[in-house]
Amino acid sequence: MADDVRSLRARQAREKTSAAADGALALALEAATLLFANGQTTERVILAVERLASALGCHAGVFPQWGQLNIWIYDARGSHEDARAALPTGVDMGKVTATLDVIDGLCDGRLAPDAARSRLAAVAALPPVPLARFALMAAVGAAAFGVIFGGAHPASLAVMAFSAGAGACLRRWLAGFSRGPFLQPFSAALLAGFVGAVAIRLGLGTALHLVALCPCMVLVPGPHFLNGALDLVRLRIPLGLARLAYALMVVLMISAGLLAGLTLGGSTLSVSGPPVAVPLVYEVVAAGVAVAAIGTFFAIPWRALPVPILIGMLAHAARWTMMAVGGAGVVAAALAACLVIGGIATPIADRMRLPFPALAFVSAVSLIPGVYLFRAAGGIVGLVALAGKAAPDLAADTLADGATAFMIVLAMVFGLVFPRVCLESRRLARKTKSP
């Protein structure tokens, strides 16, 4: 009889332990999915899950890959593992911050596991940015890009704002029909190209190619480029390449939509054109407005929005000074500005619990070489259409625009990622040396 009682108690203890481990695994999977799918760096996802498991008396191993998260929870009594589908195609800084708040509450003892699970479910159900705010900030952001690139004619800015705002409404409408990641940017760029073609034919304002280009620049998936670069630096080669491939596919869809819209409107995109000098005050203010607009897209909390605005304005002022006073080229100036952003954003992102790629890209958004990139795409289409009849200048201008865009993107990625890697390596070295 005593043996039966002991056996029953042992079995109940094992079942209780198994249930606790399963609960910890489910909680870790939920938190990791929210972070991974909404723009947090892979490194920070792993650290967050390890903290959560430690608070629950376990250890955790996290093995992310494109489309899936694998988590292993273990302690002295055994291990449990599970996987969940998760695509890292979103960027929502509000959800990342809220998820980290839940993990902090669990680690501090302010939240019980059941309460934490309910809070995470509420975070997952958070709605997107309201449509009116989304469309308004898209319009304002496109107009701000127009000012930065020299298209400050009121009529041009008005058309840019209308095109980008309408594109934002179209994207949100399409989101109700399709979860595919490419239809929305393609359709918004298609609309921008068509509106730009009409504006070009009607002669509305000056620098008319910007009317088509600037609404497309708010669609560039910068955080995914940065996350991919960080994964490559950390030797997560398959995941890093997958992130970069996704970002490039989005850019390809934007370019295809833009060129198709221009073609439907009976217009083409000019390839070459000297940069227009813009006064420092105009550029810095416009950069701050562009940062605010893109920050809205990524659902950055209102209390945190002034931070990337100030960083972006400072970096843009540094870029303008290097080019106008120091005589630096666009690539060197972009590199210097992004080194400033990366050095400032790294500690701030950790302190404010914001995903670094989103914060860094939002701060650097006014530096993206969208004009060069889309003009190069237009030049490639022109070369294919004209075949052997294309003028030599068209090929040279297309090559120059494409090379400039590539070098600026490379400089931006290096400038944003290098300070992050250096500061994290230094922090890890200090932690290793400490007793």
Side-chain angles (χ1 to χ4, degrees):
M1 184 68 175
D3 290 340
D4 292 340
V5 172
R6 282 195 295 270
S7 176
L8 176 61
R9 288 177 177 174
R11 185 170 68 253
Q12 290 175 340
R14 286 195 300 270
E15 290 175 353
K16 185 176 180 180
T17 300
S18 177
D22 288 341
L25 180 59
L27 196 58
L29 270 173
E30 186 66 29
T33 301
L34 283 170
L35 295 174
F36 187 64
N38 287 293
Q40 182 65 299
T41 63
T42 306
E43 196 73 17
R44 290 289 162 175
V45 172
I46 294 172
L47 290 175
V49 173
E50 289 175 348
R51 286 182 61 225
L52 186 152
S54 179
L56 297 174
C58 306
H59 300 282
V62 185
F63 308 96
Q65 59 190 59
W66 184 263
Q68 182 172 297
L69 273 172
N70 302 281
I71 295 183
W72 179 32
I73 295 287
Y74 62 97
D75 56 22
R77 292 161 293 194
S79 65
H80 297 254
E81 58 183 307
D82 201 355
R84 179 174 295 184
L87 276 173
T89 56
V91 180
D92 192 316
M93 299 171 79
K95 287 186 177 181
V96 169
T97 302
T99 301
L100 293 177
D101 286 340
V102 173
I103 294 175
D104 287 344
L106 188 64
C107 294
D108 296 342
R110 292 181 284 109
L111 284 177
D114 290 342
R117 190 172 295 109
S118 299
R119 290 275 296 275
L120 289 177
V123 171
L126 287 174
V129 175
L131 176 60
R133 179 183 166 196
F134 186 67
L136 175 63
M137 297 310 277
V140 170
F145 279 118
V147 173
I148 291 170
F149 290 104
H153 191 280
S156 297
L157 296 180
V159 177
M160 293 175 202
F162 167 78
S163 176
C169 294
L170 177 61
R171 289 165 63 191
R172 186 60 62 83
W173 179 71
L174 289 172
F177 296 93
S178 172
R179 294 290 181 181
F182 303 124
L183 178 61
Q184 294 180 44
F186 173 83
S187 301
L190 179 71
L191 177 62
F194 181 77
V195 172
V198 172
I200 291 171
R201 294 173 67 89
L202 296 178
L204 297 177
T206 58
L208 290 173
H209 64 285
L210 293 177
V211 175
L213 292 176
C214 290
C216 294
M217 282 190 275
V218 302
L219 306 172
V220 175
H224 300 295
F225 280 111
L226 296 183
N227 255 330
L230 285 168
D231 281 332
L232 290 179
V233 169
R234 297 294 183 186
L235 298 182
R236 298 185 181 94
I237 306 298
L239 180 57
L241 291 176
R243 287 186 189 270
L244 291 178
Y246 168 72
L248 289 172
M249 280 297 298
V250 173
V251 171
L252 179 62
M253 291 298 101
I254 296 169
S255 301
L258 171 63
L259 297 174
L262 286 167
T263 301
L264 287 175
S267 184
T268 58
L269 190 62
S270 60
V271 178
S272 61
V276 179
V278 179
L280 174 61
V281 175
Y282 288 5
E283 280 211 36
V284 171
V285 172
V289 173
V291 169
I294 302 302
T296 297
F297 288 170
F298 297 155
I300 185 171
W302 283 111
R303 62 177 175 79
L305 189 57
V307 174
I309 291 176
L310 292 175
I311 297 174
M313 294 173 72
L314 175 63
H316 208 85
R319 172 184 177 273
W320 187 95
T321 302
M322 286 192 64
M323 294 179 63
V325 179
V330 291
V331 176
L335 174 61
C338 288
L339 285 170
V340 172
I341 293 172
I344 298 174
T346 292
I348 289 179
D350 295 339
R351 182 174 294 275
M352 299 186 69
R353 293 174 299 185
L354 295 171
F356 170 78
L359 179 63
F361 176 72
V362 166
S363 302
V365 69
S366 60
L367 306 172
I368 60 174
V371 169
Y372 294 104
L373 179 64
F374 298 133
R375 286 194 322 205
I380 292 172
V381 171
L383 288 171
V384 172
L386 295 174
K389 299 179 182 179
D393 288 346
L394 178 61
D397 291 337
T398 300
L399 180 61
D401 281 335
T404 302
F406 174 77
M407 290 303 297
I408 292 176
V409 170
L410 192 62
M412 289 182 65
V413 170
F414 179 83
L416 295 173
V417 169
F418 182 73
R420 176 77 177 183
V421 173
C422 289
L423 291 173
E424 285 195 340
S425 299
R426 184 179 178 184
R427 185 184 303 136
L428 181 60
R430 286 202 307 266
K431 187 182 295 186
T432 304
K433 291 180 180 178
S434 63

